[in-house]
Amino acid sequence: MISRITTVFTATLIGIGAGGPSLAQDAGHDIFMQYCSTCHGTDAKGAGPLTELMTAKPADLTQLAANNDGKFPMLDVIHVIDGRTGVRAHGGPMPTYGAVFKAEYGTGDYGAEIAARGRILSVAYYLESIQE
């Protein structure tokens, strides 16, 4: 378990530090496709295959900056994805991915927390890169 967490943590640091946000965006794209696209759609515009079963339409994630005076709301996006901070902009139906990602690495390990935050940051960088 430790080596998996160390690998993810190292990859996150490399993506953010050495390669800049672009490597994190690539990882974020993959995470988005796996966890988010079923609701938000592969284009992130809010028309995923599960939307017909939902009572609240998912947000168009390509308009976050446009809806925020042209500035991408990075911290707000991180809080919503994480879901454990008390900011529940979706009103509750969106999964708390901070807990989901942390559980994949073991909930009692601090390395799991670091890995979860790295994944969330990667998704946020990806979303920032697709703003219209």
Side-chain angles (χ1 to χ4, degrees):
M1 181 62 78
I2 296 296
S3 65
R4 182 175 176 197
I5 292 169
T6 303
T7 301
V8 170
F9 178 65
T10 302
T12 301
L13 287 179
I14 290 169
I16 295 169
S22 64
L23 289 178
Q25 289 167 7
D26 292 344
H29 172 268
D30 294 344
I31 295 166
F32 181 88
M33 290 303 155
Q34 181 178 358
Y35 291 94
C36 312
S37 65
T38 55
C39 295
H40 291 282
T42 58
D43 62 358
K45 293 183 178 278
L50 289 183
T51 56
E52 65 186 46
L53 303 174
M54 300 172 74
T55 56
K57 184 179 178 350
D60 179 345
L61 301 177
T62 66
Q63 297 298 311
L64 296 173
N67 294 333
N68 192 48
D69 296 323
K71 184 176 184 324
F72 185 75
M74 181 65 79
L75 187 57
D76 292 339
V77 169
I78 289 169
H79 284 171
V80 170
I81 296 168
D82 182 74
R84 297 175 293 167
T85 59
V87 177
R88 297 295 299 170
H90 284 61
M94 183 171 149
T96 56
Y97 282 109
V100 170
F101 294 155
K102 186 176 177 185
E104 290 178 2
Y105 295 97
T107 56
D109 189 347
Y110 187 68
E113 183 67 34
I114 292 169
R117 289 180 185 205
R119 294 178 86 185
I120 291 165
L121 185 59
S122 293
V123 173
Y125 273 134
Y126 169 67
L127 292 175
E128 183 179 38
S129 76
I130 62 168
Q131 296 304 292
E132 295 179 348

Short mmCIF file of all heavy atoms in Angstrom, two decimals, residues 6-78:
data_model
loop_
_atom_site.label_atom_id
_atom_site.label_comp_id
_atom_site.label_asym_id
_atom_site.label_seq_id
_atom_site.Cartn_x
_atom_site.Cartn_y
_atom_site.Cartn_z
N THR A 6 2.99 6.28 -2.40
CA THR A 6 4.20 7.02 -2.73
C THR A 6 4.27 7.30 -4.22
O THR A 6 4.63 8.41 -4.63
CB THR A 6 5.45 6.24 -2.28
OG1 THR A 6 5.34 6.00 -0.88
CG2 THR A 6 6.72 7.00 -2.56
N THR A 7 3.90 6.34 -5.03
CA THR A 7 3.92 6.52 -6.48
C THR A 7 2.95 7.61 -6.91
O THR A 7 3.29 8.48 -7.72
CB THR A 7 3.58 5.20 -7.20
OG1 THR A 7 4.54 4.22 -6.80
CG2 THR A 7 3.58 5.36 -8.69
N VAL A 8 1.72 7.57 -6.38
CA VAL A 8 0.73 8.58 -6.73
C VAL A 8 1.19 9.96 -6.26
O VAL A 8 1.10 10.94 -6.99
CB VAL A 8 -0.65 8.23 -6.14
CG1 VAL A 8 -1.63 9.39 -6.29
CG2 VAL A 8 -1.20 6.98 -6.78
N PHE A 9 1.69 10.03 -5.04
CA PHE A 9 2.16 11.30 -4.50
C PHE A 9 3.30 11.86 -5.34
O PHE A 9 3.31 13.03 -5.70
CB PHE A 9 2.58 11.14 -3.04
CG PHE A 9 3.12 12.40 -2.42
CD1 PHE A 9 2.30 13.50 -2.25
CD2 PHE A 9 4.43 12.48 -2.02
CE1 PHE A 9 2.78 14.67 -1.69
CE2 PHE A 9 4.92 13.64 -1.45
CZ PHE A 9 4.10 14.73 -1.28
N THR A 10 4.25 11.01 -5.67
CA THR A 10 5.39 11.44 -6.49
C THR A 10 4.93 11.90 -7.86
O THR A 10 5.37 12.94 -8.37
CB THR A 10 6.42 10.30 -6.63
OG1 THR A 10 6.84 9.91 -5.33
CG2 THR A 10 7.62 10.72 -7.44
N ALA A 11 4.02 11.16 -8.48
CA ALA A 11 3.50 11.54 -9.79
C ALA A 11 2.78 12.88 -9.72
O ALA A 11 2.90 13.71 -10.62
CB ALA A 11 2.57 10.46 -10.33
N THR A 12 2.04 13.10 -8.64
CA THR A 12 1.34 14.37 -8.47
C THR A 12 2.34 15.51 -8.34
O THR A 12 2.18 16.56 -8.96
CB THR A 12 0.42 14.31 -7.24
OG1 THR A 12 -0.51 13.25 -7.42
CG2 THR A 12 -0.33 15.62 -7.05
N LEU A 13 3.38 15.31 -7.53
CA LEU A 13 4.39 16.36 -7.37
C LEU A 13 5.10 16.65 -8.68
O LEU A 13 5.36 17.80 -9.02
CB LEU A 13 5.42 15.95 -6.31
CG LEU A 13 4.93 16.00 -4.87
CD1 LEU A 13 6.05 15.53 -3.94
CD2 LEU A 13 4.46 17.38 -4.49
N ILE A 14 5.41 15.62 -9.43
CA ILE A 14 6.06 15.80 -10.72
C ILE A 14 5.14 16.58 -11.66
O ILE A 14 5.54 17.52 -12.32
CB ILE A 14 6.47 14.46 -11.35
CG1 ILE A 14 7.62 13.85 -10.56
CG2 ILE A 14 6.86 14.63 -12.82
CD1 ILE A 14 7.93 12.42 -10.93
N GLY A 15 3.86 16.20 -11.67
CA GLY A 15 2.89 16.86 -12.55
C GLY A 15 2.70 18.32 -12.22
O GLY A 15 2.60 19.17 -13.09
N ILE A 16 2.71 18.64 -10.94
CA ILE A 16 2.49 20.02 -10.54
C ILE A 16 3.78 20.81 -10.55
O ILE A 16 3.81 21.95 -10.98
CB ILE A 16 1.83 20.06 -9.14
CG1 ILE A 16 0.44 19.44 -9.24
CG2 ILE A 16 1.75 21.48 -8.61
CD1 ILE A 16 -0.20 19.16 -7.92
N GLY A 17 4.86 20.20 -10.11
CA GLY A 17 6.12 20.92 -9.99
C GLY A 17 6.94 20.94 -11.25
O GLY A 17 7.16 21.97 -11.86
N ALA A 18 7.40 19.78 -11.68
CA ALA A 18 8.34 19.71 -12.80
C ALA A 18 7.67 19.94 -14.15
O ALA A 18 8.19 20.65 -14.99
CB ALA A 18 9.04 18.36 -12.80
N GLY A 19 6.51 19.34 -14.36
CA GLY A 19 5.86 19.45 -15.66
C GLY A 19 4.79 20.50 -15.70
O GLY A 19 4.16 20.70 -16.72
N GLY A 20 4.56 21.15 -14.61
CA GLY A 20 3.52 22.16 -14.54
C GLY A 20 2.15 21.52 -14.56
O GLY A 20 2.00 20.31 -14.50
N PRO A 21 1.14 22.36 -14.63
CA PRO A 21 -0.22 21.86 -14.60
C PRO A 21 -0.59 20.95 -15.77
O PRO A 21 -1.54 20.19 -15.67
CB PRO A 21 -1.07 23.13 -14.63
CG PRO A 21 -0.19 24.19 -14.10
CD PRO A 21 1.20 23.81 -14.54
N SER A 22 0.17 20.98 -16.87
CA SER A 22 -0.23 20.19 -18.04
C SER A 22 -0.24 18.69 -17.74
O SER A 22 -1.13 17.99 -18.20
CB SER A 22 0.65 20.50 -19.24
OG SER A 22 1.98 20.11 -18.98
N LEU A 23 0.73 18.19 -17.01
CA LEU A 23 0.71 16.77 -16.65
C LEU A 23 -0.44 16.47 -15.69
O LEU A 23 -1.08 15.43 -15.78
CB LEU A 23 2.04 16.33 -16.04
CG LEU A 23 3.21 16.25 -17.01
CD1 LEU A 23 4.49 15.86 -16.27
CD2 LEU A 23 2.94 15.28 -18.13
N ALA A 24 -0.70 17.39 -14.77
CA ALA A 24 -1.82 17.22 -13.86
C ALA A 24 -3.14 17.25 -14.65
O ALA A 24 -4.07 16.52 -14.33
CB ALA A 24 -1.81 18.30 -12.78
N GLN A 25 -3.21 18.09 -15.70
CA GLN A 25 -4.42 18.15 -16.53
C GLN A 25 -4.66 16.81 -17.21
O GLN A 25 -5.80 16.36 -17.31
CB GLN A 25 -4.29 19.24 -17.59
CG GLN A 25 -4.36 20.63 -17.05
CD GLN A 25 -3.93 21.66 -18.08
OE1 GLN A 25 -3.71 21.35 -19.24
NE2 GLN A 25 -3.81 22.90 -17.65
N ASP A 26 -3.60 16.17 -17.69
CA ASP A 26 -3.75 14.86 -18.34
C ASP A 26 -4.30 13.84 -17.36
O ASP A 26 -5.23 13.10 -17.68
CB ASP A 26 -2.41 14.38 -18.89
CG ASP A 26 -1.91 15.21 -20.06
OD1 ASP A 26 -2.72 15.96 -20.65
OD2 ASP A 26 -0.71 15.10 -20.38
N ALA A 27 -3.74 13.82 -16.16
CA ALA A 27 -4.25 12.91 -15.13
C ALA A 27 -5.68 13.29 -14.77
O ALA A 27 -6.55 12.42 -14.60
CB ALA A 27 -3.35 12.95 -13.89
N GLY A 28 -5.94 14.59 -14.68
CA GLY A 28 -7.28 15.07 -14.35
C GLY A 28 -8.31 14.68 -15.40
O GLY A 28 -9.44 14.33 -15.07
N HIS A 29 -7.92 14.71 -16.66
CA HIS A 29 -8.81 14.28 -17.74
C HIS A 29 -9.20 12.83 -17.54
O HIS A 29 -10.38 12.47 -17.63
CB HIS A 29 -8.14 14.47 -19.10
CG HIS A 29 -8.92 13.87 -20.23
ND1 HIS A 29 -8.70 12.58 -20.67
CD2 HIS A 29 -9.93 14.37 -20.98
CE1 HIS A 29 -9.55 12.32 -21.65
NE2 HIS A 29 -10.30 13.38 -21.86
N ASP A 30 -8.23 11.98 -17.27
CA ASP A 30 -8.52 10.56 -17.07
C ASP A 30 -9.43 10.32 -15.87
O ASP A 30 -10.37 9.53 -15.93
CB ASP A 30 -7.22 9.77 -16.90
CG ASP A 30 -6.36 9.77 -18.15
OD1 ASP A 30 -6.88 10.11 -19.24
OD2 ASP A 30 -5.17 9.44 -18.04
N ILE A 31 -9.17 11.03 -14.77
CA ILE A 31 -10.00 10.91 -13.57
C ILE A 31 -11.40 11.42 -13.87
O ILE A 31 -12.40 10.79 -13.48
CB ILE A 31 -9.36 11.67 -12.39
CG1 ILE A 31 -8.03 11.03 -12.00
CG2 ILE A 31 -10.32 11.70 -11.19
CD1 ILE A 31 -7.17 11.88 -11.08
N PHE A 32 -11.50 12.55 -14.58
CA PHE A 32 -12.80 13.11 -14.94
C PHE A 32 -13.60 12.10 -15.76
O PHE A 32 -14.79 11.88 -15.51
CB PHE A 32 -12.64 14.41 -15.73
CG PHE A 32 -13.95 15.04 -16.11
CD1 PHE A 32 -14.58 15.91 -15.25
CD2 PHE A 32 -14.56 14.74 -17.33
CE1 PHE A 32 -15.81 16.47 -15.58
CE2 PHE A 32 -15.78 15.29 -17.66
CZ PHE A 32 -16.41 16.16 -16.79
N MET A 33 -12.98 11.51 -16.75
CA MET A 33 -13.68 10.54 -17.60
C MET A 33 -14.17 9.35 -16.80
O MET A 33 -15.27 8.83 -17.04
CB MET A 33 -12.78 10.08 -18.75
CG MET A 33 -12.53 11.14 -19.79
SD MET A 33 -14.08 11.77 -20.49
CE MET A 33 -13.56 13.37 -21.03
N GLN A 34 -13.40 8.91 -15.83
CA GLN A 34 -13.78 7.75 -15.03
C GLN A 34 -14.88 8.07 -14.01
O GLN A 34 -15.80 7.29 -13.83
CB GLN A 34 -12.57 7.19 -14.30
CG GLN A 34 -12.90 5.96 -13.47
CD GLN A 34 -11.68 5.36 -12.79
OE1 GLN A 34 -10.55 5.84 -12.95
NE2 GLN A 34 -11.91 4.31 -12.03
N TYR A 35 -14.80 9.22 -13.35
CA TYR A 35 -15.69 9.50 -12.23
C TYR A 35 -16.78 10.54 -12.52
O TYR A 35 -17.82 10.52 -11.87
CB TYR A 35 -14.88 9.99 -11.03
CG TYR A 35 -14.03 8.92 -10.41
CD1 TYR A 35 -12.70 8.77 -10.79
CD2 TYR A 35 -14.55 8.06 -9.46
CE1 TYR A 35 -11.91 7.78 -10.23
CE2 TYR A 35 -13.76 7.06 -8.89
CZ TYR A 35 -12.45 6.93 -9.29
OH TYR A 35 -11.67 5.95 -8.73
N CYS A 36 -16.55 11.45 -13.43
CA CYS A 36 -17.43 12.61 -13.57
C CYS A 36 -18.28 12.61 -14.84
O CYS A 36 -19.35 13.22 -14.88
CB CYS A 36 -16.61 13.90 -13.53
SG CYS A 36 -15.43 13.99 -12.18
N SER A 37 -17.78 11.98 -15.89
CA SER A 37 -18.43 12.10 -17.20
C SER A 37 -19.80 11.43 -17.26
O SER A 37 -20.62 11.82 -18.10
CB SER A 37 -17.53 11.55 -18.30
OG SER A 37 -17.33 10.17 -18.14
N THR A 38 -20.09 10.49 -16.39
CA THR A 38 -21.41 9.86 -16.42
C THR A 38 -22.52 10.86 -16.10
O THR A 38 -23.64 10.71 -16.58
CB THR A 38 -21.51 8.66 -15.47
OG1 THR A 38 -21.14 9.07 -14.16
CG2 THR A 38 -20.62 7.52 -15.93
N CYS A 39 -22.19 11.87 -15.32
CA CYS A 39 -23.17 12.92 -15.02
C CYS A 39 -22.92 14.18 -15.83
O CYS A 39 -23.85 14.75 -16.41
CB CYS A 39 -23.15 13.26 -13.53
SG CYS A 39 -23.69 11.89 -12.48
N HIS A 40 -21.67 14.64 -15.88
CA HIS A 40 -21.36 15.91 -16.53
C HIS A 40 -21.10 15.76 -18.02
O HIS A 40 -20.99 16.77 -18.72
CB HIS A 40 -20.15 16.56 -15.85
CG HIS A 40 -20.46 17.04 -14.47
ND1 HIS A 40 -21.14 18.22 -14.23
CD2 HIS A 40 -20.19 16.52 -13.26
CE1 HIS A 40 -21.28 18.38 -12.93
NE2 HIS A 40 -20.71 17.37 -12.31
N GLY A 41 -21.00 14.54 -18.54
CA GLY A 41 -20.75 14.30 -19.96
C GLY A 41 -19.27 14.34 -20.28
O GLY A 41 -18.48 14.96 -19.56
N THR A 42 -18.89 13.68 -21.35
CA THR A 42 -17.48 13.65 -21.74
C THR A 42 -16.97 15.02 -22.14
O THR A 42 -15.77 15.28 -22.09
CB THR A 42 -17.23 12.64 -22.88
OG1 THR A 42 -18.05 13.00 -23.99
CG2 THR A 42 -17.52 11.21 -22.44
N ASP A 43 -17.89 15.92 -22.53
CA ASP A 43 -17.50 17.28 -22.87
C ASP A 43 -17.65 18.24 -21.69
O ASP A 43 -17.43 19.43 -21.82
CB ASP A 43 -18.31 17.79 -24.06
CG ASP A 43 -19.80 17.85 -23.79
OD1 ASP A 43 -20.25 17.47 -22.68
OD2 ASP A 43 -20.54 18.27 -24.70
N ALA A 44 -18.07 17.72 -20.53
CA ALA A 44 -18.24 18.49 -19.27
C ALA A 44 -19.34 19.53 -19.33
O ALA A 44 -19.40 20.43 -18.50
CB ALA A 44 -16.91 19.13 -18.85
N LYS A 45 -20.25 19.41 -20.29
CA LYS A 45 -21.31 20.40 -20.45
C LYS A 45 -22.60 20.03 -19.70
O LYS A 45 -23.60 20.73 -19.81
CB LYS A 45 -21.59 20.65 -21.93
CG LYS A 45 -20.42 21.33 -22.63
CD LYS A 45 -20.76 21.63 -24.06
CE LYS A 45 -19.61 22.34 -24.74
NZ LYS A 45 -19.61 23.77 -24.46
N GLY A 46 -22.59 18.93 -18.96
CA GLY A 46 -23.73 18.61 -18.12
C GLY A 46 -24.73 17.65 -18.73
O GLY A 46 -25.86 17.56 -18.25
N ALA A 47 -24.36 16.94 -19.76
CA ALA A 47 -25.31 16.04 -20.43
C ALA A 47 -24.77 14.62 -20.50
O ALA A 47 -24.75 14.02 -21.57
CB ALA A 47 -25.62 16.57 -21.83
N GLY A 48 -24.38 14.09 -19.36
CA GLY A 48 -23.91 12.72 -19.32
C GLY A 48 -25.05 11.74 -19.42
O GLY A 48 -26.23 12.10 -19.31
N PRO A 49 -24.75 10.45 -19.62
CA PRO A 49 -25.79 9.44 -19.80
C PRO A 49 -26.72 9.25 -18.60
O PRO A 49 -27.83 8.77 -18.77
CB PRO A 49 -25.01 8.16 -20.12
CG PRO A 49 -23.62 8.41 -19.71
CD PRO A 49 -23.41 9.89 -19.74
N LEU A 50 -26.31 9.64 -17.41
CA LEU A 50 -27.18 9.48 -16.24
C LEU A 50 -28.11 10.66 -16.00
O LEU A 50 -28.97 10.60 -15.13
CB LEU A 50 -26.33 9.25 -14.98
CG LEU A 50 -25.64 7.90 -14.87
CD1 LEU A 50 -24.92 7.79 -13.53
CD2 LEU A 50 -26.63 6.76 -15.02
N THR A 51 -27.98 11.72 -16.76
CA THR A 51 -28.78 12.92 -16.49
C THR A 51 -30.28 12.69 -16.62
O THR A 51 -31.05 13.34 -15.93
CB THR A 51 -28.36 14.10 -17.39
OG1 THR A 51 -28.46 13.71 -18.76
CG2 THR A 51 -26.96 14.56 -17.08
N GLU A 52 -30.66 11.77 -17.47
CA GLU A 52 -32.10 11.51 -17.62
C GLU A 52 -32.70 10.89 -16.37
O GLU A 52 -33.91 10.93 -16.17
CB GLU A 52 -32.36 10.63 -18.84
CG GLU A 52 -31.79 9.22 -18.73
CD GLU A 52 -31.93 8.43 -20.01
OE1 GLU A 52 -31.64 8.98 -21.09
OE2 GLU A 52 -32.34 7.27 -19.93
N LEU A 53 -31.87 10.35 -15.50
CA LEU A 53 -32.34 9.76 -14.25
C LEU A 53 -32.24 10.71 -13.06
O LEU A 53 -32.68 10.38 -11.97
CB LEU A 53 -31.52 8.50 -13.93
CG LEU A 53 -31.51 7.41 -15.00
CD1 LEU A 53 -30.55 6.30 -14.62
CD2 LEU A 53 -32.91 6.88 -15.24
N MET A 54 -31.67 11.88 -13.28
CA MET A 54 -31.41 12.81 -12.19
C MET A 54 -32.50 13.87 -12.10
O MET A 54 -33.05 14.29 -13.11
CB MET A 54 -30.04 13.47 -12.40
CG MET A 54 -28.90 12.47 -12.44
SD MET A 54 -27.33 13.20 -12.92
CE MET A 54 -26.94 14.09 -11.43
N THR A 55 -32.78 14.32 -10.88
CA THR A 55 -33.77 15.38 -10.69
C THR A 55 -33.16 16.77 -10.87
O THR A 55 -33.85 17.70 -11.24
CB THR A 55 -34.41 15.29 -9.29
OG1 THR A 55 -33.38 15.33 -8.31
CG2 THR A 55 -35.21 14.00 -9.16
N ALA A 56 -31.86 16.91 -10.59
CA ALA A 56 -31.16 18.18 -10.79
C ALA A 56 -30.13 18.01 -11.90
O ALA A 56 -29.35 17.06 -11.89
CB ALA A 56 -30.46 18.60 -9.50
N LYS A 57 -30.17 18.91 -12.88
CA LYS A 57 -29.24 18.83 -14.00
C LYS A 57 -27.83 19.20 -13.54
O LYS A 57 -27.63 20.21 -12.89
CB LYS A 57 -29.68 19.77 -15.11
CG LYS A 57 -28.82 19.69 -16.37
CD LYS A 57 -29.33 20.63 -17.42
CE LYS A 57 -28.55 20.69 -18.70
NZ LYS A 57 -27.31 20.08 -18.84
N PRO A 58 -26.84 18.39 -13.91
CA PRO A 58 -25.45 18.72 -13.57
C PRO A 58 -25.01 20.01 -14.26
O PRO A 58 -25.49 20.36 -15.33
CB PRO A 58 -24.64 17.53 -14.10
CG PRO A 58 -25.63 16.42 -14.22
CD PRO A 58 -26.94 17.08 -14.55
N ALA A 59 -24.07 20.68 -13.64
CA ALA A 59 -23.57 21.95 -14.17
C ALA A 59 -22.76 21.76 -15.44
O ALA A 59 -22.14 20.72 -15.66
CB ALA A 59 -22.70 22.62 -13.11
N ASP A 60 -22.78 22.79 -16.27
CA ASP A 60 -21.89 22.88 -17.43
C ASP A 60 -20.55 23.36 -16.88
O ASP A 60 -20.39 24.53 -16.54
CB ASP A 60 -22.44 23.85 -18.46
CG ASP A 60 -21.55 24.01 -19.68
OD1 ASP A 60 -20.37 23.59 -19.63
OD2 ASP A 60 -22.02 24.57 -20.68
N LEU A 61 -19.61 22.47 -16.76
CA LEU A 61 -18.33 22.79 -16.13
C LEU A 61 -17.39 23.57 -17.03
O LEU A 61 -16.33 24.01 -16.57
CB LEU A 61 -17.66 21.49 -15.64
CG LEU A 61 -18.49 20.69 -14.63
CD1 LEU A 61 -17.78 19.40 -14.27
CD2 LEU A 61 -18.79 21.52 -13.40
N THR A 62 -17.78 23.79 -18.27
CA THR A 62 -16.95 24.61 -19.17
C THR A 62 -17.25 26.10 -19.00
O THR A 62 -16.59 26.93 -19.59
CB THR A 62 -17.17 24.22 -20.65
OG1 THR A 62 -18.51 24.56 -21.03
CG2 THR A 62 -16.91 22.74 -20.89
N GLN A 63 -18.26 26.42 -18.20
CA GLN A 63 -18.69 27.81 -18.01
C GLN A 63 -18.37 28.36 -16.62
O GLN A 63 -18.87 29.42 -16.24
CB GLN A 63 -20.20 27.91 -18.26
CG GLN A 63 -20.60 27.57 -19.68
CD GLN A 63 -19.98 28.52 -20.68
OE1 GLN A 63 -20.03 29.74 -20.52
NE2 GLN A 63 -19.35 27.98 -21.71
N LEU A 64 -17.57 27.65 -15.85
CA LEU A 64 -17.28 28.08 -14.49
C LEU A 64 -16.61 29.45 -14.45
O LEU A 64 -16.97 30.31 -13.64
CB LEU A 64 -16.42 27.04 -13.76
CG LEU A 64 -17.09 25.67 -13.57
CD1 LEU A 64 -16.09 24.67 -13.01
CD2 LEU A 64 -18.31 25.79 -12.68
N ALA A 65 -15.62 29.68 -15.29
CA ALA A 65 -14.95 30.98 -15.33
C ALA A 65 -15.90 32.06 -15.86
O ALA A 65 -15.97 33.16 -15.30
CB ALA A 65 -13.68 30.91 -16.17
N ALA A 66 -16.63 31.75 -16.91
CA ALA A 66 -17.57 32.72 -17.50
C ALA A 66 -18.61 33.17 -16.47
O ALA A 66 -19.02 34.33 -16.45
CB ALA A 66 -18.26 32.13 -18.72
N ASN A 67 -19.02 32.23 -15.61
CA ASN A 67 -20.00 32.54 -14.58
C ASN A 67 -19.38 33.18 -13.35
O ASN A 67 -20.08 33.44 -12.36
CB ASN A 67 -20.76 31.28 -14.18
CG ASN A 67 -21.60 30.74 -15.30
OD1 ASN A 67 -22.04 31.48 -16.18
ND2 ASN A 67 -21.83 29.44 -15.31
N ASN A 68 -18.08 33.42 -13.39
CA ASN A 68 -17.36 34.00 -12.26
C ASN A 68 -16.50 35.18 -12.73
O ASN A 68 -15.33 35.27 -12.40
CB ASN A 68 -16.49 32.92 -11.58
CG ASN A 68 -15.94 33.34 -10.25
OD1 ASN A 68 -16.68 33.85 -9.40
ND2 ASN A 68 -14.65 33.15 -10.06
N ASP A 69 -17.09 36.04 -13.54
CA ASP A 69 -16.41 37.24 -14.06
C ASP A 69 -15.10 36.92 -14.77
O ASP A 69 -14.13 37.68 -14.68
CB ASP A 69 -16.16 38.26 -12.94
CG ASP A 69 -17.45 38.79 -12.33
OD1 ASP A 69 -18.42 38.98 -13.10
OD2 ASP A 69 -17.50 39.01 -11.11
N GLY A 70 -15.06 35.79 -15.47
CA GLY A 70 -13.90 35.42 -16.26
C GLY A 70 -12.75 34.79 -15.49
O GLY A 70 -11.72 34.46 -16.07
N LYS A 71 -12.90 34.60 -14.19
CA LYS A 71 -11.84 34.02 -13.37
C LYS A 71 -12.26 32.63 -12.91
O LYS A 71 -13.33 32.46 -12.32
CB LYS A 71 -11.56 34.92 -12.17
CG LYS A 71 -10.40 34.45 -11.31
CD LYS A 71 -10.15 35.47 -10.20
CE LYS A 71 -8.96 35.16 -9.33
NZ LYS A 71 -8.66 33.82 -9.01
N PHE A 72 -11.41 31.65 -13.17
CA PHE A 72 -11.73 30.29 -12.75
C PHE A 72 -11.70 30.20 -11.22
O PHE A 72 -10.69 30.54 -10.60
CB PHE A 72 -10.72 29.30 -13.35
CG PHE A 72 -11.05 27.87 -13.06
CD1 PHE A 72 -12.08 27.23 -13.71
CD2 PHE A 72 -10.33 27.17 -12.11
CE1 PHE A 72 -12.40 25.90 -13.44
CE2 PHE A 72 -10.63 25.84 -11.83
CZ PHE A 72 -11.66 25.21 -12.49
N PRO A 73 -12.79 29.73 -10.61
CA PRO A 73 -12.87 29.68 -9.14
C PRO A 73 -12.21 28.40 -8.57
O PRO A 73 -12.88 27.50 -8.07
CB PRO A 73 -14.38 29.69 -8.90
CG PRO A 73 -14.94 28.98 -10.09
CD PRO A 73 -14.04 29.38 -11.25
N MET A 74 -10.88 28.36 -8.66
CA MET A 74 -10.13 27.14 -8.32
C MET A 74 -10.49 26.59 -6.93
O MET A 74 -10.79 25.41 -6.80
CB MET A 74 -8.63 27.42 -8.41
CG MET A 74 -7.75 26.21 -8.09
SD MET A 74 -7.92 24.82 -9.26
CE MET A 74 -6.92 25.39 -10.60
N LEU A 75 -10.44 27.42 -5.91
CA LEU A 75 -10.69 26.91 -4.56
C LEU A 75 -12.11 26.39 -4.41
O LEU A 75 -12.33 25.34 -3.81
CB LEU A 75 -10.40 28.00 -3.52
CG LEU A 75 -10.46 27.54 -2.06
CD1 LEU A 75 -9.50 26.38 -1.80
CD2 LEU A 75 -10.16 28.70 -1.13
N ASP A 76 -13.07 27.09 -4.99
CA ASP A 76 -14.46 26.62 -4.93
C ASP A 76 -14.61 25.27 -5.63
O ASP A 76 -15.31 24.37 -5.14
CB ASP A 76 -15.41 27.63 -5.57
CG ASP A 76 -15.53 28.92 -4.78
OD1 ASP A 76 -15.23 28.91 -3.57
OD2 ASP A 76 -15.91 29.94 -5.38
N VAL A 77 -13.96 25.12 -6.78
CA VAL A 77 -14.02 23.86 -7.52
C VAL A 77 -13.42 22.74 -6.69
O VAL A 77 -13.99 21.65 -6.58
CB VAL A 77 -13.31 24.00 -8.89
CG1 VAL A 77 -13.12 22.65 -9.56
CG2 VAL A 77 -14.10 24.95 -9.78
N ILE A 78 -12.27 22.99 -6.09
CA ILE A 78 -11.63 21.98 -5.24
C ILE A 78 -12.56 21.59 -4.10
O ILE A 78 -12.73 20.41 -3.80
CB ILE A 78 -10.28 22.50 -4.72
CG1 ILE A 78 -9.27 22.56 -5.88
CG2 ILE A 78 -9.75 21.63 -3.58
CD1 ILE A 78 -7.99 23.30 -5.55
#
